[in-house]
Amino acid sequence: MTRNGRFKGRSICLVNSLTVDEQRYLYRKAREFKTELAGGGSADRFRIADLDYSAYLIFLENSTRTRESFRNAAKFHRVRTNMFDSATSSFAKNESITDTIKMLIGYAPESCFVIRSKLEGVCTWLDHHLGPWAVENGHERPVFFNAGDGRHEHPTQEFLDEFSFLEHLHWKDDVIHLALIGDLLHGRTVHSKAEGLKVFRNVTVDLVSPPELAMPPFYVDAMKRNGFEVRFFHSLDEYLDSGTAAKLWYFTRLQLERMGESNLEKAPLFKKALTFRKDMLSRVSEDTRFYHPLPRDRQVPLIPGFLDNTPLNAWDSQSVNGYYTRVVEMAMSAGVLGHDFDGQGREKPGEEESFVMEAPIVKKSGKQEYKVGIKPVDSGLVIDHIASGMPLEAIWDRIDKIRRILGLNLRSSHGVYHSNRGPDVFKGIISIPDVLSFGEKNLKKLGAVSPSCTLNLIKDHQVVKKYRLGMPPRIYNFEELSCKNENCISHPKNQESIDTSFERKPDVQGRDRFICSWCEREHDYSEIWTI
Ligand code: CP
């Protein structure tokens, strides 16, 4: 069979790597696959069955379920399966992950990589960087499956979780009420719920955690933006006392290995607040089900062993579903499935919004001059309206940033002046005489460093061109940028030599936030700069 389904070459780096309709398609196909196997069918129509197709399982952190379900999925597909041993690989000689994967792509005409790493954003980076590289070098576009990256996301776990909820709800996707219980700060599987639950049309999420382990605001905001009702509780007792507990409970373990010392000291309190006790049994309704991405911590199991053989146990069947969903994810991205998809697919990336605009030149009566210090500028460049309206200190700081980032170490002057917007309004100006071109790259840089300033080109004392600069939709490729998440693959500490890149997105209050393109850490504008 020709493998040319519409998802061919698509990576799953994030839950949002698939649209909601594409996720529904995945669940439909996983259901068909599971049913066919249960009926004794061969399920051959789901199989890649190609020994030129290579599946690399690269687990740089421990795993049982994700690794073994993908390994078994690869066996089902009858493809070359490679278990990558990081301890004896050239990672031990400080090879970067980009170099390693680039080399492995060369060993087969077509490959997929299942990667678990403590570094966040690895798959997004590799897909962005090595996808086009592979195609240019005569390979099929490689596929990356994020098998869990630090605290960030675990999208294939999310898909098996949602599949399990849908299965329990008899495939009805109109409404879900779900409790997320445990270490919501560090648990990547609960973070992924902020997007994964969109597959349901009406969502209520109860977040049950002590304040120290609360869900990060980034994900709470995303839930609200996605229209979920979000409620907060600090302990299981408080939750049960509310009398409005959900029937689906999703636990996530206390990630003691990721906690700082002060929180580690509080571990016994967290355990007390979040562990289900025997006396609570009479307070949950019979049709309640407990889910857990597993593993359970054998010292601190939030779902203790006495619950294993009760109807509450939905976590065992949940983990088995990882096999069905991962077989289908591999089949989709290898182009085996997807011919019968008729929903809303991913939009093609649009043109980058323009943020450099030529502005009209307003001719004023009388003599109008920009000066270098006390001398008028005959010809040259003037950067005007720098940080206009901001406090004086911020304006000086912005002038300094512009000079340093753009390397303006030439004969020039700068200062802070009154703006004509009012007596208490100030702005910065930099004048550079005798320079008549600025270059597109510098223009973009200037927009990124000092949005809403203007660049004026002066000839014979006249402004002959004026550009007004907005904030670019993406800020990238400057040495002076860095993601502040130390676990991000692009963070200098990790020595992966990866370009820093931020996407500008408004938050719920409409303020500009800057999201790392790889690990999705949210930043203020001032935080993205290293100077
Ligand atoms: N749920 C999960 O990711 O389990 P593993 O760590 O065993 O892969």
Side-chain angles (χ1 to χ4, degrees):
M1 189 183 59
T2 320
R3 290 194 284 104
N4 60 359
R6 64 173 285 151
F7 306 107
K8 189 172 165 71
R10 282 276 288 278
S11 291
I12 298 182
C13 309
L14 308 168
V15 171
N16 279 343
S17 297
L18 298 182
T19 65
V20 169
D21 277 354
E22 291 171 345
Q23 291 167 34
R24 291 197 176 113
Y25 178 84
L26 157 61
Y27 304 138
R28 210 160 53 242
K29 289 292 149 187
R31 182 184 174 191
E32 284 173 23
F33 175 61
K34 186 173 179 179
T35 308
E36 194 166 327
L37 284 191
S42 70
D44 275 344
R45 69 197 168 94
F46 292 90
R47 232 185 267 282
I48 300 172
D50 184 348
L51 283 175
D52 278 340
Y53 188 101
S54 217
Y56 278 95
L57 274 61
I58 301 179
F59 281 76
L60 306 172
E61 273 196 322
N62 297 339
S63 167
T64 302
R65 276 145 290 271
T66 313
R67 188 188 58 200
E68 294 308 309
S69 57
F70 264 116
R71 189 155 69 95
N72 281 289
K75 276 194 167 177
F76 166 82
H77 280 299
R78 298 189 189 137
V79 298
R80 287 192 224 170
T81 308
N82 307 277
M83 303 297 294
F84 189 85
D85 183 351
S86 60
T88 59
S89 75
S90 289
F91 282 140
K93 295 186 207 163
N94 270 345
E95 184 173 38
S96 75
I97 193 158
T98 314
D99 272 4
T100 304
I101 304 290
K102 198 180 210 182
M103 183 235 3
L104 296 176
I105 289 170
Y107 293 163
E110 195 174 350
S111 309
C112 77
F113 297 88
V114 178
I115 303 178
R116 170 168 292 186
S117 164
K118 73 175 174 39
L119 292 184
E120 298 173 16
V122 175
C123 286
T124 309
W125 158 255
L126 292 172
D127 185 46
H128 167 87
H129 184 66
L130 290 183
W133 176 87
V135 174
E136 273 163 30
N137 285 279
H139 301 277
E140 293 285 346
R141 188 179 175 111
V143 166
F144 298 95
F145 293 110
N146 177 1
D149 58 340
R151 287 196 219 172
H152 180 217
E153 274 216 29
H154 193 351
T156 69
Q157 174 74 43
E158 182 57 19
F159 295 150
L160 84 87
D161 291 346
E162 300 301 333
F163 179 84
S164 303
F165 301 148
L166 282 164
E167 190 173 45
H168 174 71
L169 296 169
H170 307 288
W171 309 107
K172 289 203 192 87
D173 63 6
D174 48 344
V175 59
I176 189 168
H177 181 188
L178 178 74
L180 301 178
I181 301 159
D183 184 348
L184 308 185
L185 175 65
H186 299 103
R188 56 197 172 200
T189 67
V190 288
H191 299 166
S192 290
K193 298 272 167 305
E195 298 300 331
L197 282 166
K198 279 193 306 197
V199 76
F200 291 93
R201 293 164 209 278
N202 197 317
V203 180
T204 302
V205 183
D206 298 337
L207 303 177
V208 185
S209 73
E212 295 88 340
L213 302 180
M215 179 73 82
F218 177 73
Y219 298 104
V220 177
D221 282 356
M223 287 181 177
K224 290 183 178 166
R225 221 178 7 243
N226 289 333
F228 303 178
E229 186 184 339
V230 186
R231 309 190 307 163
F232 301 87
F233 303 88
H234 291 154
S235 67
L236 282 184
D237 282 312
E238 185 192 334
Y239 189 43
L240 285 168
D241 286 347
S242 76
T244 57
K247 291 190 176 159
L248 304 183
W249 292 28
Y250 187 97
F251 286 82
T252 180
R253 73 186 170 89
L254 299 179
Q255 300 203 8
L256 303 175
E257 76 281 13
R258 297 192 209 268
M259 284 182 200
E261 247 170 54
S262 60
N263 269 355
L264 258 183
E265 280 170 15
K266 293 186 192 160
L269 291 177
F270 300 154
K271 181 182 165 192
K272 189 161 177 275
L274 299 168
T275 303
F276 194 86
R277 300 185 310 267
K278 279 192 178 151
D279 63 281
M280 292 172 170
L281 269 174
S282 59
R283 303 178 69 193
V284 293
S285 64
E286 261 177 28
D287 50 352
T288 300
R289 293 290 176 275
F290 287 180
Y291 295 84
H292 195 307
L294 305 179
R296 277 187 286 177
D297 186 314
R298 52 171 192 265
Q299 287 173 331
V300 196
L302 301 187
I303 304 179
F306 72 84
L307 291 169
D308 286 7
N309 296 319
T310 68
L312 290 170
N313 181 348
W315 60 88
D316 283 337
S317 56
Q318 173 196 1
S319 71
V320 173
N321 282 336
Y323 173 68
Y324 305 109
T325 49
R326 286 170 177 136
V327 164
V328 168
E329 287 154 20
M330 288 181 72
M332 284 169 69
S333 58
V336 174
L337 298 175
H339 301 91
D340 55 345
F341 174 76
D342 60 359
Q344 176 81 44
R346 234 177 24 174
E347 280 171 24
K348 292 213 163 41
E351 290 280 303
E352 264 202 2
E353 159 194 339
S354 174
F355 61 93
V356 180
M357 280 156 289
E358 199 167 333
I361 300 157
V362 183
K363 290 231 187 280
K364 292 185 185 156
S365 58
K367 199 168 178 197
Q368 191 202 356
E369 286 175 330
Y370 280 112
K371 296 184 179 181
V372 188
I374 53 165
K375 257 186 90 200
V377 179
D378 300 344
S379 67
L381 297 172
V382 174
I383 304 169
D384 195 359
H385 301 288
I386 296 168
S388 180
M390 292 173 77
L392 290 172
E393 196 183 341
I395 301 174
W396 279 113
D397 178 62
R398 184 69 63 79
I399 289 173
D400 180 50
K401 253 195 186 114
I402 294 174
R403 299 201 75 102
R404 289 210 271 159
I405 294 177
L406 275 79
L408 297 179
N409 303 319
L410 23 86
R411 189 170 66 89
S412 55
S413 72
H414 60 234
V416 174
Y417 301 87
H418 268 114
S419 158
N420 55 14
R421 282 166 50 205
D424 298 325
V425 183
F426 299 94
K427 62 176 182 175
I429 294 183
I430 301 177
S431 317
I432 314 161
D434 303 328
V435 172
L436 292 173
S437 70
F438 202 60
E440 197 177 335
K441 183 156 188 222
N442 272 341
L443 210 53
K444 286 189 170 180
K445 232 174 176 175
L446 183 59
V449 181
S450 187
S452 76
C453 71
T454 58
L455 178 76
N456 301 274
L457 176 62
I458 318 279
K459 276 187 188 163
D460 300 329
H461 297 274
Q462 296 293 326
V463 178
V464 293
K465 272 232 187 283
K466 185 191 265 293
Y467 296 98
R468 191 169 300 286
L469 304 177
M471 179 74 86
R474 192 155 83 91
I475 301 182
Y476 59 106
N477 243 355
F478 304 144
E479 276 171 24
E480 298 83 1
L481 293 173
S482 85
C483 174
K484 297 300 174 280
N485 172 11
E486 288 201 352
N487 296 321
C488 177
I489 182 145
S490 71
H491 193 280
K493 187 187 100 177
N494 297 316
Q495 301 181 327
E496 290 281 342
S497 305
I498 283 168
D499 303 336
T500 310
S501 167
F502 294 97
E503 319 278 339
R504 174 168 58 90
K505 281 199 184 132
D507 66 7
V508 277
Q509 279 103 32
R511 290 172 310 189
D512 275 340
R513 307 294 289 162
F514 295 84
I515 314 296
C516 171
S517 303
W518 319 128
C519 76
E520 298 191 296
R521 172 65 64 90
E522 208 183 23
H523 298 71
D524 284 335
Y525 176 71
S526 61
E527 282 178 314
I528 67 179
W529 300 100
T530 50
I531 61 168

